Amino acid sequence: MNKIRILWVDDEIDLLKPHILFLEGKNYEVITCQSGQEALDELANIQVNIVFLDENMPGISGLETLNEIKLLDASLPVVMITKSEEEFIMEEAIGSKIADYLIKPVNPNQILLSLKKNLDHSRLISEKTTSNYQQEFRKIAMDLSMVNSYEAWSELYKKLIYWELQLEEIEDNGMFEILESQKTEANQQFGKFVDKNYPAWFTDYDAPVMSHTLFKEWIAPEIKNKKTLLIVVDNLRYDQWYAFEDIVGSFYHKRKERSYYSILPTATQYARNAIFSGLTPLDMEKKYPDWWKNDTDEGGKNLFEDKFLGEQIQRLGLDITWQYHKISSLKQGKQLSQNFKSQKDNDLTAIVYNFVDMLSHSKTEMEVIKELASNDKAYRSLTQSWFKNSPLLEIIQQAQSLDMKLIITTDHGTINVKSPSKVIGDRDTSLNLRYKTGRSLTYEDNDVLAAKDPKSVHLPSINMSSSYIFAKNDLFFAYPNNYNHYVSYYRNTYQHGGVSLEEMIIPFVVLEPR
């Protein structure tokens, strides 16, 4: 159909002739009916783009006709037009998923606005979004050449995510490719910024809140005045938080959203242990050698987070009751949800939820997950779907009913790796694809942030001559042996440990119950 075709159903259709002529003058085709049954007969034989439906007609009522239309075609937009302002009619119509609700007498411009809202909506939004991004593109390009503080990088990164989500909605591939190139350039500049400034962040007064200072600086002040649920979702990037923020918003309103910086490596054993201990990895190794494990040590690397947390709470002089839970399976999540009321007297309930981490590892290892999370948009969608149906959402609902404050954060993000970078090390070199630690590492200088003296970035050394390298941009490390197989297996998987906006700049959100 070239013209947009409207089916207008009204038992007094003759009185609407001026409206119909107005629409025909705007190049719309209008088909008229005088009863619900006549409309249903028409719809069985012709295709239309939208229906204007009078609510008060003899025979089949407008609401009954609406239900029949939805059975014929659930996606066909129906605009209900009525003389009545009775609330139950509005509620019935809205419950039946009408596209719009107009009250007589309607003027032609109201009709035109409803048509544009329902039929030209996508096109108008697409044009506006594209136009706005084109203007913003130039501003972002200027910012990229000037940004020189951790606060400005956080704001720029969030701006890039905002436009990624906007452009994704309108599916403009051309604009999206331009944005992707801006993100790549941003990560290149961010890598240089971190290379230059990162070591000083451990001693400078003007440093970002990082993994090892997060609890003291931002969490401890929040738990002094209200019982609090702290949720650390492993591997949660900013865009994934935005994917389910609205779901949380049904139960909690956001009071504060900040960005903090993960320490390097942006890996669980380093970053999450640092959150709960309030210490750098170097200090953890010194103070708690029985709880800290280096990359090459046998055994689990995050087995003592509860003990680290207890020590930090004591060190900070917090007189609170608290409990810690780690959820790594559906069964554990359900058990905590079923028994969550037992947490009501705690000043702090801390939960580590591991699903997103498991999802990123599954994408590497399972073909079906590679299909389901083939790109960032799909990865966000999968995260949202999980959250919507997870025990974690049930726990959040219960926390709201118990009037608990809610803090949602993470230990680090992930990045979709695209390009290999060759590295050579000995048999004791760590296995992570985004960072390596070991002796005699050979690598491409431009591809990495190198810490030849681990102590300068507050990291322990496996032996006297160990160093660390962190992959920049969307690179991943690959050994020359069996290179092609290795590269094809890991390309387009989600990894963490390196230097990127996605891995290092992460959300910290404080919410109050509705």
Side-chain angles (χ1 to χ4, degrees), residues 376-390:
D376 286 352
K377 181 180 181 181
Y379 195 36
R380 280 192 289 275
S381 177
L382 207 53
T383 306
Q384 183 190 60
S385 179
W386 156 72
F387 181 77
K388 205 182 286 186
N389 300 284
S390 72

Side-chain angles (χ1 to χ4, degrees), residues 315-360:
R315 195 166 64 246
L316 294 174
L318 297 175
D319 183 21
I320 60 169
T321 56
W322 63 276
Q323 274 188 288
Y324 164 94
H325 305 270
K326 184 183 288 186
I327 306 299
S328 300
S329 69
L330 181 64
K331 183 180 178 184
Q332 289 175 327
K334 284 184 172 177
Q335 283 175 342
L336 182 57
S337 174
Q338 287 163 2
N339 301 313
F340 191 75
K341 283 188 171 60
S342 65
Q343 309 296 308
K344 64 183 172 58
D345 295 326
N346 295 335
D347 298 303
L348 173 66
T349 302
I351 299 175
V352 169
Y353 218 100
N354 262 342
F355 178 82
V356 181
D357 180 49
M358 291 189 286
L359 181 61
S360 68

